mmCIF file with all atom_site columns, all heavy atoms in Angstrom:
data_model
loop_
_atom_site.group_PDB
_atom_site.id
_atom_site.type_symbol
_atom_site.label_atom_id
_atom_site.label_alt_id
_atom_site.label_comp_id
_atom_site.label_asym_id
_atom_site.label_entity_id
_atom_site.label_seq_id
_atom_site.pdbx_PDB_ins_code
_atom_site.Cartn_x
_atom_site.Cartn_y
_atom_site.Cartn_z
_atom_site.occupancy
_atom_site.B_iso_or_equiv
_atom_site.pdbx_formal_charge
_atom_site.auth_seq_id
_atom_site.auth_comp_id
_atom_site.auth_asym_id
_atom_site.auth_atom_id
_atom_site.pdbx_PDB_model_num
ATOM 1   N N   . LEU A 1 124 ? -5.091  -71.486 36.968 1.00 97.00 ? 592 LEU A N   1
ATOM 2   C CA  . LEU A 1 124 ? -6.509  -71.188 36.764 1.00 97.00 ? 592 LEU A CA  1
ATOM 3   C C   . LEU A 1 124 ? -7.369  -72.381 37.171 1.00 97.00 ? 592 LEU A C   1
ATOM 4   O O   . LEU A 1 124 ? -8.463  -72.205 37.698 1.00 97.00 ? 592 LEU A O   1
ATOM 5   C CB  . LEU A 1 124 ? -6.767  -70.858 35.288 1.00 97.00 ? 592 LEU A CB  1
ATOM 6   C CG  . LEU A 1 124 ? -6.356  -69.456 34.846 1.00 97.00 ? 592 LEU A CG  1
ATOM 7   C CD1 . LEU A 1 124 ? -6.350  -69.358 33.325 1.00 97.00 ? 592 LEU A CD1 1
ATOM 8   C CD2 . LEU A 1 124 ? -7.304  -68.410 35.426 1.00 97.00 ? 592 LEU A CD2 1
ATOM 9   N N   . ARG A 1 203 ? -20.081 -74.170 33.222 1.00 90.00 ? 671 ARG A N   1
ATOM 10  C CA  . ARG A 1 203 ? -19.689 -73.166 34.209 1.00 90.00 ? 671 ARG A CA  1
ATOM 11  C C   . ARG A 1 203 ? -19.589 -73.805 35.599 1.00 90.00 ? 671 ARG A C   1
ATOM 12  O O   . ARG A 1 203 ? -20.447 -74.578 35.996 1.00 90.00 ? 671 ARG A O   1
ATOM 13  C CB  . ARG A 1 203 ? -20.700 -72.026 34.230 1.00 90.00 ? 671 ARG A CB  1
ATOM 14  C CG  . ARG A 1 203 ? -20.187 -70.823 34.996 1.00 90.00 ? 671 ARG A CG  1
ATOM 15  C CD  . ARG A 1 203 ? -21.038 -69.590 34.822 1.00 90.00 ? 671 ARG A CD  1
ATOM 16  N NE  . ARG A 1 203 ? -20.517 -68.527 35.655 1.00 90.00 ? 671 ARG A NE  1
ATOM 17  C CZ  . ARG A 1 203 ? -19.703 -67.570 35.219 1.00 90.00 ? 671 ARG A CZ  1
ATOM 18  N NH1 . ARG A 1 203 ? -19.363 -67.514 33.965 1.00 90.00 ? 671 ARG A NH1 1
ATOM 19  N NH2 . ARG A 1 203 ? -19.242 -66.658 36.053 1.00 90.00 ? 671 ARG A NH2 1
ATOM 20  N N   . GLU A 1 231 ? -10.972 -64.358 23.793 1.00 86.00 ? 699 GLU A N   1
ATOM 21  C CA  . GLU A 1 231 ? -11.084 -64.257 22.344 1.00 86.00 ? 699 GLU A CA  1
ATOM 22  C C   . GLU A 1 231 ? -9.678  -64.105 21.754 1.00 86.00 ? 699 GLU A C   1
ATOM 23  O O   . GLU A 1 231 ? -8.897  -63.295 22.232 1.00 86.00 ? 699 GLU A O   1
ATOM 24  C CB  . GLU A 1 231 ? -11.934 -63.022 22.021 1.00 86.00 ? 699 GLU A CB  1
ATOM 25  C CG  . GLU A 1 231 ? -12.396 -62.970 20.604 1.00 86.00 ? 699 GLU A CG  1
ATOM 26  C CD  . GLU A 1 231 ? -13.434 -61.871 20.390 1.00 86.00 ? 699 GLU A CD  1
ATOM 27  O OE1 . GLU A 1 231 ? -14.100 -61.459 21.361 1.00 86.00 ? 699 GLU A OE1 1
ATOM 28  O OE2 . GLU A 1 231 ? -13.567 -61.427 19.244 1.00 86.00 ? 699 GLU A OE2 1
ATOM 29  N N   . ASN A 1 256 ? 7.745   -56.892 4.791  1.00 98.00 ? 724 ASN A N   1
ATOM 30  C CA  . ASN A 1 256 ? 7.939   -57.931 5.804  1.00 98.00 ? 724 ASN A CA  1
ATOM 31  C C   . ASN A 1 256 ? 6.616   -58.321 6.443  1.00 98.00 ? 724 ASN A C   1
ATOM 32  O O   . ASN A 1 256 ? 6.285   -59.504 6.593  1.00 98.00 ? 724 ASN A O   1
ATOM 33  C CB  . ASN A 1 256 ? 8.921   -57.447 6.874  1.00 98.00 ? 724 ASN A CB  1
ATOM 34  C CG  . ASN A 1 256 ? 9.158   -58.486 7.966  1.00 98.00 ? 724 ASN A CG  1
ATOM 35  O OD1 . ASN A 1 256 ? 8.613   -58.381 9.053  1.00 98.00 ? 724 ASN A OD1 1
ATOM 36  N ND2 . ASN A 1 256 ? 9.953   -59.510 7.659  1.00 98.00 ? 724 ASN A ND2 1
ATOM 37  N N   . THR A 1 363 ? 0.956   -44.229 19.658 1.00 98.00 ? 831 THR A N   1
ATOM 38  C CA  . THR A 1 363 ? 0.972   -45.306 20.667 1.00 98.00 ? 831 THR A CA  1
ATOM 39  C C   . THR A 1 363 ? -0.064  -45.056 21.756 1.00 98.00 ? 831 THR A C   1
ATOM 40  O O   . THR A 1 363 ? -0.639  -45.995 22.286 1.00 98.00 ? 831 THR A O   1
ATOM 41  C CB  . THR A 1 363 ? 2.357   -45.472 21.333 1.00 98.00 ? 831 THR A CB  1
ATOM 42  O OG1 . THR A 1 363 ? 2.689   -44.270 22.036 1.00 98.00 ? 831 THR A OG1 1
ATOM 43  C CG2 . THR A 1 363 ? 3.430   -45.787 20.316 1.00 98.00 ? 831 THR A CG2 1
ATOM 44  N N   . VAL A 1 366 ? -3.984  -45.225 19.739 1.00 97.00 ? 834 VAL A N   1
ATOM 45  C CA  . VAL A 1 366 ? -4.473  -46.457 19.104 1.00 97.00 ? 834 VAL A CA  1
ATOM 46  C C   . VAL A 1 366 ? -4.784  -47.487 20.183 1.00 97.00 ? 834 VAL A C   1
ATOM 47  O O   . VAL A 1 366 ? -4.000  -47.713 21.102 1.00 97.00 ? 834 VAL A O   1
ATOM 48  C CB  . VAL A 1 366 ? -3.422  -47.000 18.111 1.00 97.00 ? 834 VAL A CB  1
ATOM 49  C CG1 . VAL A 1 366 ? -3.728  -48.448 17.752 1.00 97.00 ? 834 VAL A CG1 1
ATOM 50  C CG2 . VAL A 1 366 ? -3.410  -46.131 16.863 1.00 97.00 ? 834 VAL A CG2 1
ATOM 51  N N   . VAL A 1 373 ? 6.249   -49.085 16.709 1.00 98.00 ? 841 VAL A N   1
ATOM 52  C CA  . VAL A 1 373 ? 6.827   -47.874 16.138 1.00 98.00 ? 841 VAL A CA  1
ATOM 53  C C   . VAL A 1 373 ? 8.050   -48.302 15.338 1.00 98.00 ? 841 VAL A C   1
ATOM 54  O O   . VAL A 1 373 ? 9.006   -48.855 15.899 1.00 98.00 ? 841 VAL A O   1
ATOM 55  C CB  . VAL A 1 373 ? 7.233   -46.879 17.248 1.00 98.00 ? 841 VAL A CB  1
ATOM 56  C CG1 . VAL A 1 373 ? 7.882   -45.635 16.630 1.00 98.00 ? 841 VAL A CG1 1
ATOM 57  C CG2 . VAL A 1 373 ? 6.028   -46.498 18.100 1.00 98.00 ? 841 VAL A CG2 1
ATOM 58  N N   . ASN A 1 374 ? 8.017   -48.084 14.046 1.00 98.00 ? 842 ASN A N   1
ATOM 59  C CA  . ASN A 1 374 ? 9.139   -48.456 13.172 1.00 98.00 ? 842 ASN A CA  1
ATOM 60  C C   . ASN A 1 374 ? 9.546   -49.914 13.333 1.00 98.00 ? 842 ASN A C   1
ATOM 61  O O   . ASN A 1 374 ? 10.743  -50.246 13.366 1.00 98.00 ? 842 ASN A O   1
ATOM 62  C CB  . ASN A 1 374 ? 10.347  -47.536 13.419 1.00 98.00 ? 842 ASN A CB  1
ATOM 63  C CG  . ASN A 1 374 ? 10.021  -46.083 13.086 1.00 98.00 ? 842 ASN A CG  1
ATOM 64  O OD1 . ASN A 1 374 ? 9.281   -45.815 12.125 1.00 98.00 ? 842 ASN A OD1 1
ATOM 65  N ND2 . ASN A 1 374 ? 10.519  -45.158 13.886 1.00 98.00 ? 842 ASN A ND2 1
ATOM 66  N N   . LYS A 1 397 ? -9.728  -57.345 26.080 1.00 93.00 ? 865 LYS A N   1
ATOM 67  C CA  . LYS A 1 397 ? -8.992  -56.554 27.058 1.00 93.00 ? 865 LYS A CA  1
ATOM 68  C C   . LYS A 1 397 ? -8.974  -57.186 28.438 1.00 93.00 ? 865 LYS A C   1
ATOM 69  O O   . LYS A 1 397 ? -8.149  -56.831 29.273 1.00 93.00 ? 865 LYS A O   1
ATOM 70  C CB  . LYS A 1 397 ? -9.609  -55.156 27.157 1.00 93.00 ? 865 LYS A CB  1
ATOM 71  C CG  . LYS A 1 397 ? -9.438  -54.370 25.864 1.00 93.00 ? 865 LYS A CG  1
ATOM 72  C CD  . LYS A 1 397 ? -9.819  -52.936 26.086 1.00 93.00 ? 865 LYS A CD  1
ATOM 73  C CE  . LYS A 1 397 ? -10.050 -52.228 24.771 1.00 93.00 ? 865 LYS A CE  1
ATOM 74  N NZ  . LYS A 1 397 ? -10.636 -50.905 24.979 1.00 93.00 ? 865 LYS A NZ  1
ATOM 75  N N   . HIS A 1 399 ? -8.361  -59.857 31.315 1.00 95.00 ? 867 HIS A N   1
ATOM 76  C CA  . HIS A 1 399 ? -7.458  -60.921 31.753 1.00 95.00 ? 867 HIS A CA  1
ATOM 77  C C   . HIS A 1 399 ? -6.109  -60.897 31.033 1.00 95.00 ? 867 HIS A C   1
ATOM 78  O O   . HIS A 1 399 ? -5.076  -60.870 31.682 1.00 95.00 ? 867 HIS A O   1
ATOM 79  C CB  . HIS A 1 399 ? -8.083  -62.306 31.609 1.00 95.00 ? 867 HIS A CB  1
ATOM 80  C CG  . HIS A 1 399 ? -7.185  -63.392 32.147 1.00 95.00 ? 867 HIS A CG  1
ATOM 81  N ND1 . HIS A 1 399 ? -6.984  -63.549 33.492 1.00 95.00 ? 867 HIS A ND1 1
ATOM 82  C CD2 . HIS A 1 399 ? -6.423  -64.331 31.532 1.00 95.00 ? 867 HIS A CD2 1
ATOM 83  C CE1 . HIS A 1 399 ? -6.135  -64.564 33.679 1.00 95.00 ? 867 HIS A CE1 1
ATOM 84  N NE2 . HIS A 1 399 ? -5.787  -65.038 32.497 1.00 95.00 ? 867 HIS A NE2 1
ATOM 85  N N   . LYS A 1 413 ? -4.161  -65.504 44.193 1.00 98.00 ? 881 LYS A N   1
ATOM 86  C CA  . LYS A 1 413 ? -4.827  -65.815 45.465 1.00 98.00 ? 881 LYS A CA  1
ATOM 87  C C   . LYS A 1 413 ? -4.205  -64.915 46.529 1.00 98.00 ? 881 LYS A C   1
ATOM 88  O O   . LYS A 1 413 ? -2.978  -64.804 46.597 1.00 98.00 ? 881 LYS A O   1
ATOM 89  C CB  . LYS A 1 413 ? -4.542  -67.287 45.795 1.00 98.00 ? 881 LYS A CB  1
ATOM 90  C CG  . LYS A 1 413 ? -5.217  -67.854 47.013 1.00 98.00 ? 881 LYS A CG  1
ATOM 91  C CD  . LYS A 1 413 ? -4.519  -69.142 47.460 1.00 98.00 ? 881 LYS A CD  1
ATOM 92  C CE  . LYS A 1 413 ? -5.061  -70.389 46.785 1.00 98.00 ? 881 LYS A CE  1
ATOM 93  N NZ  . LYS A 1 413 ? -4.489  -71.646 47.360 1.00 98.00 ? 881 LYS A NZ  1
ATOM 94  N N   . GLY A 1 418 ? -2.169  -63.670 59.923 1.00 98.00 ? 886 GLY A N   1
ATOM 95  C CA  . GLY A 1 418 ? -2.412  -62.827 61.087 1.00 98.00 ? 886 GLY A CA  1
ATOM 96  C C   . GLY A 1 418 ? -2.018  -63.515 62.378 1.00 98.00 ? 886 GLY A C   1
ATOM 97  O O   . GLY A 1 418 ? -1.469  -64.632 62.377 1.00 98.00 ? 886 GLY A O   1
ATOM 98  N N   . GLY A 1 420 ? -4.416  -63.703 65.060 1.00 97.00 ? 888 GLY A N   1
ATOM 99  C CA  . GLY A 1 420 ? -5.691  -63.563 65.751 1.00 97.00 ? 888 GLY A CA  1
ATOM 100 C C   . GLY A 1 420 ? -6.352  -62.235 65.435 1.00 97.00 ? 888 GLY A C   1
ATOM 101 O O   . GLY A 1 420 ? -7.157  -61.722 66.236 1.00 97.00 ? 888 GLY A O   1
ATOM 102 N N   . ARG A 1 423 ? -11.423 -57.635 62.674 1.00 96.00 ? 891 ARG A N   1
ATOM 103 C CA  . ARG A 1 423 ? -11.670 -56.322 62.059 1.00 96.00 ? 891 ARG A CA  1
ATOM 104 C C   . ARG A 1 423 ? -12.633 -55.526 62.920 1.00 96.00 ? 891 ARG A C   1
ATOM 105 O O   . ARG A 1 423 ? -13.614 -56.053 63.426 1.00 96.00 ? 891 ARG A O   1
ATOM 106 C CB  . ARG A 1 423 ? -12.259 -56.528 60.668 1.00 96.00 ? 891 ARG A CB  1
ATOM 107 C CG  . ARG A 1 423 ? -12.430 -55.237 59.898 1.00 96.00 ? 891 ARG A CG  1
ATOM 108 C CD  . ARG A 1 423 ? -12.812 -55.470 58.457 1.00 96.00 ? 891 ARG A CD  1
ATOM 109 N NE  . ARG A 1 423 ? -13.328 -54.252 57.877 1.00 96.00 ? 891 ARG A NE  1
ATOM 110 C CZ  . ARG A 1 423 ? -13.965 -54.173 56.724 1.00 96.00 ? 891 ARG A CZ  1
ATOM 111 N NH1 . ARG A 1 423 ? -14.171 -55.266 56.020 1.00 96.00 ? 891 ARG A NH1 1
ATOM 112 N NH2 . ARG A 1 423 ? -14.403 -53.017 56.277 1.00 96.00 ? 891 ARG A NH2 1
ATOM 113 N N   . LEU B 1 124 ? -9.706  -50.032 30.460 1.00 97.00 ? 534 LEU B N   1
ATOM 114 C CA  . LEU B 1 124 ? -10.451 -51.077 29.746 1.00 97.00 ? 534 LEU B CA  1
ATOM 115 C C   . LEU B 1 124 ? -11.275 -50.468 28.615 1.00 97.00 ? 534 LEU B C   1
ATOM 116 O O   . LEU B 1 124 ? -11.424 -51.062 27.561 1.00 97.00 ? 534 LEU B O   1
ATOM 117 C CB  . LEU B 1 124 ? -11.385 -51.817 30.707 1.00 97.00 ? 534 LEU B CB  1
ATOM 118 C CG  . LEU B 1 124 ? -10.717 -52.858 31.611 1.00 97.00 ? 534 LEU B CG  1
ATOM 119 C CD1 . LEU B 1 124 ? -11.663 -53.274 32.734 1.00 97.00 ? 534 LEU B CD1 1
ATOM 120 C CD2 . LEU B 1 124 ? -10.280 -54.074 30.814 1.00 97.00 ? 534 LEU B CD2 1
ATOM 121 N N   . ARG B 1 203 ? -21.653 -56.628 22.735 1.00 90.00 ? 613 ARG B N   1
ATOM 122 C CA  . ARG B 1 203 ? -20.266 -57.021 22.507 1.00 90.00 ? 613 ARG B CA  1
ATOM 123 C C   . ARG B 1 203 ? -19.637 -56.134 21.431 1.00 90.00 ? 613 ARG B C   1
ATOM 124 O O   . ARG B 1 203 ? -20.250 -55.866 20.407 1.00 90.00 ? 613 ARG B O   1
ATOM 125 C CB  . ARG B 1 203 ? -20.192 -58.487 22.090 1.00 90.00 ? 613 ARG B CB  1
ATOM 126 C CG  . ARG B 1 203 ? -18.795 -59.031 22.163 1.00 90.00 ? 613 ARG B CG  1
ATOM 127 C CD  . ARG B 1 203 ? -18.719 -60.524 22.000 1.00 90.00 ? 613 ARG B CD  1
ATOM 128 N NE  . ARG B 1 203 ? -17.337 -60.940 21.981 1.00 90.00 ? 613 ARG B NE  1
ATOM 129 C CZ  . ARG B 1 203 ? -16.664 -61.356 23.049 1.00 90.00 ? 613 ARG B CZ  1
ATOM 130 N NH1 . ARG B 1 203 ? -17.270 -61.469 24.207 1.00 90.00 ? 613 ARG B NH1 1
ATOM 131 N NH2 . ARG B 1 203 ? -15.396 -61.683 22.955 1.00 90.00 ? 613 ARG B NH2 1
ATOM 132 N N   . GLU B 1 231 ? -17.712 -61.966 37.719 1.00 86.00 ? 641 GLU B N   1
ATOM 133 C CA  . GLU B 1 231 ? -18.670 -62.431 38.720 1.00 86.00 ? 641 GLU B CA  1
ATOM 134 C C   . GLU B 1 231 ? -18.211 -61.939 40.089 1.00 86.00 ? 641 GLU B C   1
ATOM 135 O O   . GLU B 1 231 ? -17.049 -62.067 40.449 1.00 86.00 ? 641 GLU B O   1
ATOM 136 C CB  . GLU B 1 231 ? -18.688 -63.961 38.674 1.00 86.00 ? 641 GLU B CB  1
ATOM 137 C CG  . GLU B 1 231 ? -19.856 -64.569 39.379 1.00 86.00 ? 641 GLU B CG  1
ATOM 138 C CD  . GLU B 1 231 ? -19.958 -66.063 39.099 1.00 86.00 ? 641 GLU B CD  1
ATOM 139 O OE1 . GLU B 1 231 ? -19.466 -66.520 38.050 1.00 86.00 ? 641 GLU B OE1 1
ATOM 140 O OE2 . GLU B 1 231 ? -20.530 -66.753 39.953 1.00 86.00 ? 641 GLU B OE2 1
ATOM 141 N N   . ASN B 1 256 ? -16.121 -62.408 65.383 1.00 98.00 ? 666 ASN B N   1
ATOM 142 C CA  . ASN B 1 256 ? -15.911 -61.228 64.543 1.00 98.00 ? 666 ASN B CA  1
ATOM 143 C C   . ASN B 1 256 ? -16.417 -61.472 63.119 1.00 98.00 ? 666 ASN B C   1
ATOM 144 O O   . ASN B 1 256 ? -17.127 -60.647 62.541 1.00 98.00 ? 666 ASN B O   1
ATOM 145 C CB  . ASN B 1 256 ? -14.422 -60.868 64.528 1.00 98.00 ? 666 ASN B CB  1
ATOM 146 C CG  . ASN B 1 256 ? -14.129 -59.642 63.666 1.00 98.00 ? 666 ASN B CG  1
ATOM 147 O OD1 . ASN B 1 256 ? -13.658 -59.764 62.546 1.00 98.00 ? 666 ASN B OD1 1
ATOM 148 N ND2 . ASN B 1 256 ? -14.437 -58.455 64.183 1.00 98.00 ? 666 ASN B ND2 1
ATOM 149 N N   . THR B 1 363 ? -3.335  -73.008 53.067 1.00 98.00 ? 773 THR B N   1
ATOM 150 C CA  . THR B 1 363 ? -3.240  -71.894 52.113 1.00 98.00 ? 773 THR B CA  1
ATOM 151 C C   . THR B 1 363 ? -2.955  -72.395 50.704 1.00 98.00 ? 773 THR B C   1
ATOM 152 O O   . THR B 1 363 ? -3.410  -71.809 49.727 1.00 98.00 ? 773 THR B O   1
ATOM 153 C CB  . THR B 1 363 ? -2.138  -70.870 52.497 1.00 98.00 ? 773 THR B CB  1
ATOM 154 O OG1 . THR B 1 363 ? -0.867  -71.514 52.475 1.00 98.00 ? 773 THR B OG1 1
ATOM 155 C CG2 . THR B 1 363 ? -2.378  -70.272 53.864 1.00 98.00 ? 773 THR B CG2 1
ATOM 156 N N   . VAL B 1 366 ? -6.479  -74.796 49.548 1.00 97.00 ? 776 VAL B N   1
ATOM 157 C CA  . VAL B 1 366 ? -7.808  -74.196 49.412 1.00 97.00 ? 776 VAL B CA  1
ATOM 158 C C   . VAL B 1 366 ? -7.820  -73.273 48.200 1.00 97.00 ? 776 VAL B C   1
ATOM 159 O O   . VAL B 1 366 ? -6.920  -72.461 48.011 1.00 97.00 ? 776 VAL B O   1
ATOM 160 C CB  . VAL B 1 366 ? -8.179  -73.424 50.696 1.00 97.00 ? 776 VAL B CB  1
ATOM 161 C CG1 . VAL B 1 366 ? -9.339  -72.488 50.445 1.00 97.00 ? 776 VAL B CG1 1
ATOM 162 C CG2 . VAL B 1 366 ? -8.524  -74.410 51.795 1.00 97.00 ? 776 VAL B CG2 1
ATOM 163 N N   . VAL B 1 373 ? -5.000  -66.880 57.558 1.00 98.00 ? 783 VAL B N   1
ATOM 164 C CA  . VAL B 1 373 ? -4.421  -67.694 58.619 1.00 98.00 ? 783 VAL B CA  1
ATOM 165 C C   . VAL B 1 373 ? -4.515  -66.874 59.904 1.00 98.00 ? 783 VAL B C   1
ATOM 166 O O   . VAL B 1 373 ? -3.926  -65.795 59.997 1.00 98.00 ? 783 VAL B O   1
ATOM 167 C CB  . VAL B 1 373 ? -2.946  -68.046 58.319 1.00 98.00 ? 783 VAL B CB  1
ATOM 168 C CG1 . VAL B 1 373 ? -2.351  -68.856 59.472 1.00 98.00 ? 783 VAL B CG1 1
ATOM 169 C CG2 . VAL B 1 373 ? -2.832  -68.794 56.999 1.00 98.00 ? 783 VAL B CG2 1
ATOM 170 N N   . ASN B 1 374 ? -5.275  -67.370 60.867 1.00 98.00 ? 784 ASN B N   1
ATOM 171 C CA  . ASN B 1 374 ? -5.432  -66.668 62.145 1.00 98.00 ? 784 ASN B CA  1
ATOM 172 C C   . ASN B 1 374 ? -5.884  -65.212 61.971 1.00 98.00 ? 784 ASN B C   1
ATOM 173 O O   . ASN B 1 374 ? -5.398  -64.308 62.656 1.00 98.00 ? 784 ASN B O   1
ATOM 174 C CB  . ASN B 1 374 ? -4.124  -66.724 62.963 1.00 98.00 ? 784 ASN B CB  1
ATOM 175 C CG  . ASN B 1 374 ? -3.735  -68.154 63.313 1.00 98.00 ? 784 ASN B CG  1
ATOM 176 O OD1 . ASN B 1 374 ? -4.605  -68.994 63.599 1.00 98.00 ? 784 ASN B OD1 1
ATOM 177 N ND2 . ASN B 1 374 ? -2.457  -68.455 63.274 1.00 98.00 ? 784 ASN B ND2 1
ATOM 178 N N   . LYS B 1 397 ? -11.835 -66.507 38.460 1.00 93.00 ? 807 LYS B N   1
ATOM 179 C CA  . LYS B 1 397 ? -10.375 -66.544 38.415 1.00 93.00 ? 807 LYS B CA  1
ATOM 180 C C   . LYS B 1 397 ? -9.807  -65.710 37.287 1.00 93.00 ? 807 LYS B C   1
ATOM 181 O O   . LYS B 1 397 ? -8.632  -65.367 37.306 1.00 93.00 ? 807 LYS B O   1
ATOM 182 C CB  . LYS B 1 397 ? -9.911  -67.992 38.266 1.00 93.00 ? 807 LYS B CB  1
ATOM 183 C CG  . LYS B 1 397 ? -10.276 -68.843 39.471 1.00 93.00 ? 807 LYS B CG  1
ATOM 184 C CD  . LYS B 1 397 ? -9.569  -70.169 39.397 1.00 93.00 ? 807 LYS B CD  1
ATOM 185 C CE  . LYS B 1 397 ? -10.178 -71.153 40.364 1.00 93.00 ? 807 LYS B CE  1
ATOM 186 N NZ  . LYS B 1 397 ? -9.645  -72.502 40.135 1.00 93.00 ? 807 LYS B NZ  1
ATOM 187 N N   . HIS B 1 399 ? -8.999  -62.559 35.015 1.00 95.00 ? 809 HIS B N   1
ATOM 188 C CA  . HIS B 1 399 ? -8.789  -61.107 35.052 1.00 95.00 ? 809 HIS B CA  1
ATOM 189 C C   . HIS B 1 399 ? -8.525  -60.582 36.457 1.00 95.00 ? 809 HIS B C   1
ATOM 190 O O   . HIS B 1 399 ? -7.530  -59.904 36.678 1.00 95.00 ? 809 HIS B O   1
ATOM 191 C CB  . HIS B 1 399 ? -9.953  -60.338 34.434 1.00 95.00 ? 809 HIS B CB  1
ATOM 192 C CG  . HIS B 1 399 ? -9.714  -58.857 34.381 1.00 95.00 ? 809 HIS B CG  1
ATOM 193 N ND1 . HIS B 1 399 ? -8.803  -58.314 33.518 1.00 95.00 ? 809 HIS B ND1 1
ATOM 194 C CD2 . HIS B 1 399 ? -10.212 -57.824 35.104 1.00 95.00 ? 809 HIS B CD2 1
ATOM 195 C CE1 . HIS B 1 399 ? -8.766  -56.990 33.704 1.00 95.00 ? 809 HIS B CE1 1
ATOM 196 N NE2 . HIS B 1 399 ? -9.599  -56.682 34.659 1.00 95.00 ? 809 HIS B NE2 1
ATOM 197 N N   . THR B 1 412 ? -3.929  -53.901 29.434 1.00 98.00 ? 822 THR B N   1
ATOM 198 C CA  . THR B 1 412 ? -2.551  -53.531 29.106 1.00 98.00 ? 822 THR B CA  1
ATOM 199 C C   . THR B 1 412 ? -2.406  -53.394 27.595 1.00 98.00 ? 822 THR B C   1
ATOM 200 O O   . THR B 1 412 ? -3.273  -53.806 26.830 1.00 98.00 ? 822 THR B O   1
ATOM 201 C CB  . THR B 1 412 ? -1.557  -54.597 29.603 1.00 98.00 ? 822 THR B CB  1
ATOM 202 O OG1 . THR B 1 412 ? -1.913  -55.849 29.026 1.00 98.00 ? 822 THR B OG1 1
ATOM 203 C CG2 . THR B 1 412 ? -1.558  -54.707 31.113 1.00 98.00 ? 822 THR B CG2 1
ATOM 204 N N   . LYS B 1 413 ? -1.314  -52.812 27.197 1.00 97.00 ? 823 LYS B N   1
ATOM 205 C CA  . LYS B 1 413 ? -1.009  -52.617 25.776 1.00 97.00 ? 823 LYS B CA  1
ATOM 206 C C   . LYS B 1 413 ? 0.505   -52.776 25.621 1.00 97.00 ? 823 LYS B C   1
ATOM 207 O O   . LYS B 1 413 ? 1.272   -52.206 26.393 1.00 97.00 ? 823 LYS B O   1
ATOM 208 C CB  . LYS B 1 413 ? -1.431  -51.186 25.400 1.00 97.00 ? 823 LYS B CB  1
ATOM 209 C CG  . LYS B 1 413 ? -1.293  -50.798 23.959 1.00 97.00 ? 823 LYS B CG  1
ATOM 210 C CD  . LYS B 1 413 ? -1.299  -49.268 23.820 1.00 97.00 ? 823 LYS B CD  1
ATOM 211 C CE  . LYS B 1 413 ? -2.694  -48.695 23.640 1.00 97.00 ? 823 LYS B CE  1
ATOM 212 N NZ  . LYS B 1 413 ? -2.666  -47.236 23.315 1.00 97.00 ? 823 LYS B NZ  1
ATOM 213 N N   . GLY B 1 418 ? 11.025  -49.684 17.573 1.00 98.00 ? 828 GLY B N   1
ATOM 214 C CA  . GLY B 1 418 ? 12.113  -50.239 16.764 1.00 98.00 ? 828 GLY B CA  1
ATOM 215 C C   . GLY B 1 418 ? 12.787  -49.173 15.933 1.00 98.00 ? 828 GLY B C   1
ATOM 216 O O   . GLY B 1 418 ? 12.477  -47.983 16.043 1.00 98.00 ? 828 GLY B O   1
ATOM 217 N N   . GLY B 1 420 ? 13.162  -49.691 12.400 1.00 97.00 ? 830 GLY B N   1
ATOM 218 C CA  . GLY B 1 420 ? 13.004  -50.326 11.098 1.00 97.00 ? 830 GLY B CA  1
ATOM 219 C C   . GLY B 1 420 ? 13.138  -51.835 11.192 1.00 97.00 ? 830 GLY B C   1
ATOM 220 O O   . GLY B 1 420 ? 13.499  -52.494 10.223 1.00 97.00 ? 830 GLY B O   1
ATOM 221 N N   . ARG B 1 423 ? 11.024  -58.916 10.893 1.00 96.00 ? 833 ARG B N   1
ATOM 222 C CA  . ARG B 1 423 ? 11.195  -60.249 11.484 1.00 96.00 ? 833 ARG B CA  1
ATOM 223 C C   . ARG B 1 423 ? 11.666  -61.236 10.414 1.00 96.00 ? 833 ARG B C   1
ATOM 224 O O   . ARG B 1 423 ? 11.161  -61.213 9.297  1.00 96.00 ? 833 ARG B O   1
ATOM 225 C CB  . ARG B 1 423 ? 9.850   -60.697 12.069 1.00 96.00 ? 833 ARG B CB  1
ATOM 226 C CG  . ARG B 1 423 ? 9.934   -62.038 12.772 1.00 96.00 ? 833 ARG B CG  1
ATOM 227 C CD  . ARG B 1 423 ? 8.671   -62.354 13.550 1.00 96.00 ? 833 ARG B CD  1
ATOM 228 N NE  . ARG B 1 423 ? 8.661   -63.767 13.889 1.00 96.00 ? 833 ARG B NE  1
ATOM 229 C CZ  . ARG B 1 423 ? 7.614   -64.430 14.327 1.00 96.00 ? 833 ARG B CZ  1
ATOM 230 N NH1 . ARG B 1 423 ? 6.462   -63.802 14.496 1.00 96.00 ? 833 ARG B NH1 1
ATOM 231 N NH2 . ARG B 1 423 ? 7.700   -65.721 14.608 1.00 96.00 ? 833 ARG B NH2 1
#
Side-chain angles (χ1 to χ4, degrees):
Chain A
L592 282 167
R671 193 169 176 97
E699 193 170 337
N724 180 258
T831 63
V834 164
V841 178
N842 298 323
K865 294 191 197 170
H867 184 72
K881 184 198 272 187
R891 185 171 164 193
Chain B
L534 282 166
R613 194 170 176 94
E641 195 170 335
N666 180 258
T773 62
V776 164
V783 178
N784 298 323
K807 296 191 195 170
H809 184 71
T822 57
K823 184 199 270 188
R833 183 170 165 194

